[in-house]
Amino acid sequence: MTALLVLFVVAAVPLAPTEAVLIGCGVLAASGELPLAGVILVAAVGCFVADIVNYSLGRSAGMRALRRFSRKPGSRAVVEWTASKLASRGEPILVAVRWVPGGGLVGALLAGSLRWPSRRFAPVALAGATLWSGYTALIGYFGGQVVDDPLVAIALSWGVAMLISVPVGMAVKAAQRKVVVTAAG
């Protein structure tokens, strides 16, 4: 149960290595040391707490932070693009951005700074946190099912996670560069 407490604390603290700890807990679940449903639940609640904190920060100081971030034309274009996507397709964007490194933090800050009502933000944040937690825990769980050695299982799980997340991150960066080039041109 100590592992679940550590998982909750890491998930609730913004910018903490939640993915690594969650994959490790997924491997522990595969060996029967932790309940998989408990791992997913604890991670989802921790991530949701972090989202609510970041959303609140966005509501209180977000626009100042966005103005400071938006001083360069390229950065301003990215913020404007993201804001427009949140305005038109906000819910799916907030769920999808959870898979981009740091995306949960940025999405929550933007939703808060754009003054989304909490009754709109909270269910979407909970859904995104739950889906991402389930996906990440299952990567560790399946790695633990395939390989008996926990360290090898974690390494295998990390490799699979990187094979999925690196191309996603590259696609996001490419989309951002396109927005910057369009704004500058």
Side-chain angles (χ1 to χ4, degrees), residues 39-136:
V39 168
I40 294 168
L41 178 67
V42 167
V45 170
C47 289
F48 179 69
V49 167
D51 285 350
I52 294 300
V53 168
N54 292 324
Y55 168 82
S56 298
L57 287 171
R59 293 218 22 125
S60 64
M63 291 312 285
R64 285 185 300 234
L66 287 177
R67 278 194 293 275
R68 185 169 290 171
F69 178 73
S70 299
R71 288 182 180 159
K72 295 179 183 177
S75 298
R76 188 171 35 257
V78 169
V79 169
E80 289 171 3
W81 178 86
T82 304
S84 73
K85 295 297 182 199
L86 286 176
S88 64
R89 298 183 296 234
E91 288 81 357
I93 293 292
L94 276 181
V95 171
V97 78
R98 177 60 79 174
W99 276 261
V100 177
L105 174 101
V106 171
L109 284 170
L110 274 171
S113 66
L114 295 171
R115 302 287 187 220
W116 274 34
S118 59
R119 67 184 176 280
R120 179 181 182 197
F121 174 76
V124 176
L126 184 58
T130 303
L131 289 169
W132 181 84
S133 295
Y135 152 82
T136 306

Side-chain angles (χ1 to χ4, degrees), residues 5 54 62 67 113 122 134 146 160 177:
L5 179 60
N54 292 324
R67 278 194 293 275
S113 66
V146 171
V160 170
R177 278 194 300 277

Side-chain angles (χ1 to χ4, degrees), residues 150-161:
L151 293 177
V152 175
I154 289 172
L156 174 66
S157 299
W158 256 97
V160 170

